[in-house]
Amino acid sequence: VSDDTASATSIPIGAMTVLTTALTVLLLAACEAADSVVTLDLGGSWSLSNSSMPKPVEATVPGQVHTDLLRAGLIDEPFNGTNVELQAWVALSDWTYERTFEVPASLLAKRTVQLVSLGIDTVATLYLNSKPIHQVDNMFHRVRLNVKQHLVAGTNTLRVAFKSKVSEANARAAACDNA
């Protein structure tokens, strides 16, 4: 059983906070007895992509885009020299984290199967098996969704499509100016 006290934070670089994809997800299944909770931790190995990348790179969840890009050799260390300015494109890009996972038929026999996230930073749409299941726009809200109807016995795919926080904030500010 997983301890759901984990937290997710963004890493400040210079005067800006980078696009943090702090994503911790669990699938919980519960039946009648409170002590009969089954946890499937979806943390660990995911893929990371955006529209300008020729192919996805390996990513770690919980984690964040800069760390995954650095590990893949696609950017240099953000804290060196002027790299923060050279890597501003990262915060201006939309990013997608994706992972497949196996669901045993016994899990689907449970009364409820929940997807739980302890932090998704900040503006994102969650897809389960290609169907949009939830939108978030506040990192500080935990997500707990009943997803049983979206799961299948066998292989499932969870995708989290992040919008650029910078672009989204600019669009929302412009919408206020035009109102």
Side-chain angles (χ1 to χ4, degrees):
V1 174
S2 174
D3 176 7
D4 102 291
T5 59
S7 63
T9 58
S10 48
I11 299 173
I13 294 183
M16 74 176 198
T17 302
V18 298
L19 175 65
T20 302
T21 53
L23 174 66
T24 303
V25 290
L26 305 168
L27 277 179
L28 297 175
C31 62
E32 307 306 338
D35 61 343
S36 180
V37 173
V38 178
T39 301
L40 177 61
D41 186 348
L42 298 180
S45 183
W46 287 59
S47 67
L48 170 68
S49 63
N50 77 5
S51 61
S52 66
M53 295 172 64
K55 65 179 186 170
V57 297
E58 188 174 324
T60 301
V61 171
Q64 63 107 352
V65 171
H66 279 80
T67 305
D68 294 326
L69 294 176
L70 181 62
R71 190 179 310 109
L74 298 177
I75 62 171
D76 292 325
E77 171 58 54
F79 295 108
N80 286 344
T82 60
N83 286 347
V84 68
E85 289 87 13
L86 296 173
Q87 296 168 6
W89 66 272
V90 176
L92 297 172
S93 299
D94 296 340
W95 295 95
T96 300
Y97 277 80
E98 187 170 302
R99 162 178 190 148
T100 59
F101 58 97
E102 296 298 315
V103 172
S106 60
L107 190 71
L108 297 177
K110 302 290 186 179
R111 182 183 57 181
T112 304
V113 180
Q114 296 179 335
L115 176 69
V116 177
S117 173
L118 305 178
I120 298 177
D121 189 7
T122 290
V123 180
T125 302
L126 282 70
Y127 297 86
L128 188 53
N129 295 324
S130 300
K131 295 178 184 159
I133 59 168
H134 191 68
Q135 291 186 322
V136 295
D137 69 356
N138 187 331
M139 155 122 191
F140 302 105
H141 290 183
R142 289 186 175 184
V143 175
R144 184 177 293 263
L145 306 169
N146 184 357
V147 294
K148 183 177 176 178
Q149 70 275 17
H150 301 291
L151 293 169
V152 296
T155 304
N156 291 264
T157 301
L158 179 61
R159 185 173 78 238
V160 183
F162 289 89
K163 300 293 276 178
S164 161
K165 291 187 287 189
V166 175
S167 298
E168 185 68 20
N170 288 340
R172 291 181 185 192
C176 290
D177 290 344
N178 295 329

